[in-house]
Amino acid sequence: MQGIVSKWKWRSPSAAEASAGGTPGPLADRVLRGRGIEDPVAFLDDGYGRVVPPEGLGGAVEAGQRLSEAIAAGRRIVIHGDYDFDGIAASAILARSLRLLSSKAEVRVVLPDRYQGGYGLSVEGLRRIREEGADLVVAVDCGITAIEAIEAARANGLEVMVLDHHTFVRDEQGGLVLPPASVVVHPGLPVEESDCVGTDHLCGAAVAFKVVWATARAHFGSDRVPAVMKRELVEATILAGLGTIADVMPLVDENRALAALALRGLPNSGISGLRALLIESGHGLQDGPVHEETVQFQLAPRINALGRFGSAMPAIELLTLPEDGEGTSARAAALAAEISATNLERRSAERTIVEEATARAEAEGQTADDHPVIVLGDPNWKRGLVGPAAAKLVDRFARPVILFEACEDGIARGSARSIHGYSIHDGLAAAAPLLESFGGHAAAAGCAVRTARLDELRAALVDHARTEIAAVDLTPVVEIDCRAVIEEMDEVEDVQGVRELAPFGPGHPRPSVLVETVRPIETRWVGQDQGTLQLRFAGAGARSVKAVWFGAGRHRDAIESAIRGGAIDIVATPDLNRWRGRVEPNLMIQDLRASV
């Protein structure tokens, strides 16, 4: 099946079979069947019972014991995090819990600066931490590849623990090469024999949560902890779930439970900074449930904006403010407002990069079928913003994209994003002789190259991609869960049943349904650039449903031709639109075509 902009396919054989047979039943049930989910009750269970205890995470129990001992011994502890939402949430979880366990504990947080030291642990950074008097560093959401830096720190008398979830270094035989840390905690490590089943895809904040859970147990000698510590573990669960959503982890099994618990608990969180950030994002505490989109498009971008422009330390202050401190609420509101202002600056600068990169890619022929990768650099594109901008170009052009900041020292530093089925890391590895450095994974990577060699790098990557990417792979794909009709999506209750399958994300994306042979009763182009398509379809009786397609303007001629031709088929996500106290069904169009 082919739409105007994408190839349509059933999400699974189950989806094709169910839709072919016209399987009856509620739409939500059909979506789950289309995903091959045999036991909907078990899948939808997102309570605390689904959260795996520390025994299910390799190294967590040992880390908890060592941290408990360090607090008791009065050791000076530095938490070394990362500058994204996940790393900041992980750092806040540790700082809040360790300070609560001992009011005398000397615990401070250090975050790297993207423009000074770059990502992760460094020899120089750990040396400076040691000189400032620390004797234990807890690296969280980083450190698993920092072998040289940790070796140097150990030789200097500094203990380093690593709590991470990123990809291991492996030797030539494929074996794990772990950093020489006193303890390594990682979801990919084997788990001792126990009744627990570990989770392979935890984010950094979830790893930190498991470790503070284990630390509290060790500190109090039991699973029964004081009420104040129990409340803090609930807050840690919220931060871990938010990190899970923000770091785009698969929302299945335990991760689904963490995300759901966070969304339910967020409006009533005792963390004043979270409440202030939620309000600053336009979601009042009395506005009802928080959805994953609020985290993805409001909370996480605000926090991430700090690290993309400079220091992310204001976010640490926001999430670790003393709840009983004088002026805490006012300080939280002020910090949230400052962070939002930085995010507005980030959005404007990122939009400029996207517009400039799009125009250049098209003008230079990098969007042609025989050019399966886009590589561009510019001295005015900040390296902290090129990753998200590259992701937007991937969505538009359905091919890998690498965007660089061409720095004054003659080095271009950039971020890559890829499409499903092509490893951009493999592409960079093939071009390694041209690079100053690179790292990452199949879907996203970072790299540095001499600016004078950008054209050589582009040619090398194009050659590699041509051997790995077929022309058909450069066409976006829309996956469909089941067929549906307008009449079963024209009431709030109908769509609410689908919304209850949330939270949605990788591993469990927002539902897509195929609606065939329908004719809009209204067609409008709206927005500042007239680039948003609004259709309205007749429902049952006098009811009707609005359908919206953002960014459809560049396909306007093909869309209008299909609509003029008669009946159309659409692929859309059933959703609810909330506006000024009103709630109504809304279809988010992904693609359409003239009915066959």
Side-chain angles (χ1 to χ4, degrees):
M1 297 184 286
Q2 180 67 48
I4 288 175
V5 300
S6 57
K7 181 171 65 176
W8 301 358
K9 71 173 187 177
W10 299 108
R11 193 177 301 280
S12 70
S14 302
E17 293 168 7
S19 288
T23 307
L27 182 56
D29 291 352
R30 301 206 311 274
V31 168
L32 292 179
R33 284 200 297 272
R35 297 183 176 192
I37 295 172
E38 303 277 336
D39 188 347
V41 174
F43 178 84
L44 295 174
D45 178 9
D46 54 17
Y48 279 100
R50 295 296 298 273
V51 179
V52 179
E55 288 80 3
L57 173 61
V61 173
E62 182 184 357
Q65 184 63 46
R66 291 187 71 86
L67 277 175
S68 175
E69 293 168 356
I71 292 170
R75 299 183 68 186
R76 290 163 294 185
I77 302 172
V78 167
I79 298 162
H80 189 298
D82 187 21
Y83 39 61
D84 69 353
F85 188 104
D86 185 30
I88 290 166
S91 302
I93 287 170
L94 283 162
R96 292 174 59 91
S97 296
L98 296 184
R99 290 168 182 167
L100 180 62
L101 289 171
S102 174
S103 59
K104 298 179 181 178
E106 185 179 333
V107 179
R108 67 186 182 96
V109 177
V110 169
L111 300 179
D113 188 302
R114 188 189 300 263
Y115 298 95
Q116 300 299 321
Y119 167 80
L121 304 179
S122 67
V123 172
E124 176 60 25
L126 291 178
R127 183 192 62 77
R128 188 164 53 249
I129 287 171
R130 179 60 170 158
E131 290 176 349
E132 292 169 352
D135 47 29
L136 171 60
V137 168
V138 184
V140 62
D141 198 34
C142 62
I144 199 66
T145 63
I147 295 169
E148 178 185 354
I150 294 174
E151 283 178 345
R154 187 172 65 170
N156 198 27
L158 180 64
E159 180 186 356
V160 180
M161 297 171 56
V162 171
L163 285 53
D164 203 356
H165 71 119
H166 292 97
T167 304
F168 293 109
V169 173
R170 294 186 179 271
D171 59 26
E172 293 179 356
Q173 289 72 44
L176 299 184
V177 180
L178 297 180
S182 59
V183 183
V184 176
V185 186
H186 194 287
L189 290 174
V191 178
E192 296 289 334
E193 289 188 15
S194 71
D195 294 332
C196 297
V197 176
T199 301
D200 293 335
H201 297 99
L202 293 177
C203 69
V207 170
F209 160 60
K210 301 294 183 74
V211 170
V212 300
W213 185 354
T215 304
R217 277 181 177 175
H219 185 80
F220 295 106
S222 168
D223 274 326
R224 297 179 65 84
V225 300
V228 65
M229 188 68 228
K230 187 174 182 180
R231 286 196 298 273
E232 187 56 42
L233 289 174
V234 170
E235 301 295 355
T237 308
I238 293 174
L239 287 170
L242 296 179
T244 298
I245 297 170
D247 219 41
V248 202
M249 294 290 104
L251 292 191
V252 296
D253 301 325
E254 179 182 16
N255 278 348
R256 174 182 166 80
L258 287 171
L261 290 167
L263 295 174
R264 289 198 293 268
L266 181 55
N268 298 312
S269 171
I271 301 176
S272 58
L274 276 182
R275 297 196 308 271
L277 194 64
L278 192 62
I279 293 171
E280 184 66 31
S281 299
H283 191 104
L285 299 180
Q286 308 303 318
D287 285 351
V290 179
H291 298 304
E292 65 277 8
E293 293 93 340
T294 302
V295 180
Q296 295 164 344
F297 303 119
Q298 299 293 336
L299 303 185
R302 280 172 164 78
I303 295 295
N304 287 337
L306 293 173
R308 297 194 182 283
F309 274 94
S311 173
M313 288 303 294
I316 292 294
E317 181 185 356
L318 180 75
L319 297 181
T320 58
L321 286 168
E323 298 308 316
D324 55 355
E326 184 178 350
T328 289
S329 295
R331 180 59 180 158
L335 281 168
E338 291 171 12
I339 290 169
S340 285
T342 301
N343 186 52
L344 288 175
E345 185 181 356
R346 186 272 310 171
R347 289 174 58 186
S348 176
E350 185 181 305
R351 188 181 307 114
T352 297
I353 295 173
V354 170
E355 291 171 353
E356 292 178 356
T358 297
R360 282 185 52 188
E362 292 176 333
E364 295 174 15
Q366 295 196 44
T367 60
D369 288 345
D370 64 347
H371 201 291
V373 61
I374 294 172
V375 180
L376 293 165
D378 191 283
N380 295 316
W381 297 348
K382 291 178 75 71
R383 75 195 73 161
L385 302 177
V386 293
K392 287 183 170 59
L393 264 69
V394 171
D395 289 342
R396 176 160 184 170
F397 296 116
R399 67 199 64 215
V401 177
I402 311 180
L403 300 181
F404 291 88
E405 177 189 0
C407 303
E408 292 182 356
D409 61 359
I411 303 296
R413 296 172 174 88
S415 289
R417 297 293 185 270
S418 194
I419 59 174
H420 178 72
Y422 176 72
S423 171
I424 192 63
H425 186 273
D426 288 352
L428 292 171
L434 298 171
L435 298 169
E436 299 296 304
S437 63
F438 75 97
H441 49 82
C447 59
V449 63
R450 292 199 171 277
T451 304
R453 306 195 75 173
L454 263 178
D455 289 342
E456 291 180 72
L457 176 62
R458 180 187 301 113
L461 289 171
V462 166
D463 286 344
H464 183 271
R466 281 174 177 164
T467 66
E468 301 291 329
I469 303 176
V472 68
D473 295 328
L474 300 180
T475 301
V477 173
V478 169
E479 295 187 311
I480 301 168
D481 293 296
C482 64
R483 284 186 170 87
V485 295
I486 295 295
E487 290 77 7
E488 60 183 336
M489 297 181 289
D490 62 0
E491 292 192 275
V492 170
E493 292 75 13
D494 297 330
V495 180
Q496 187 61 47
V498 178
R499 275 293 325 177
E500 288 173 1
L501 303 181
F504 301 120
H508 183 52
R510 300 177 74 194
S512 295
V513 300
L514 172 61
V515 183
E516 296 175 300
T517 320
V518 289
R519 289 179 169 83
I521 57 176
E522 179 183 304
T523 301
R524 299 176 61 203
W525 291 94
V526 300
Q528 186 174 4
D529 60 353
Q530 295 289 291
T532 297
L533 174 66
Q534 284 188 359
L535 303 177
R536 185 168 292 277
F537 296 98
R543 293 192 294 270
S544 65
V545 178
K546 184 170 73 174
V548 179
W549 187 355
F550 293 104
R554 59 184 180 270
H555 310 294
R556 182 165 181 164
D557 290 345
I559 290 169
E560 291 182 341
S561 175
I563 292 174
R564 285 195 302 270
I568 60 173
D569 303 334
I570 66 170
V571 177
T573 294
D575 203 357
L576 293 175
N577 182 44
R578 293 176 170 84
W579 177 249
R580 294 182 178 177
R582 294 184 57 190
V583 182
E584 60 182 12
N586 194 36
L587 301 181
M588 307 303 295
I589 299 175
Q590 298 176 57
D591 200 0
L592 62 80
R593 67 178 186 182
S595 295
V596 178

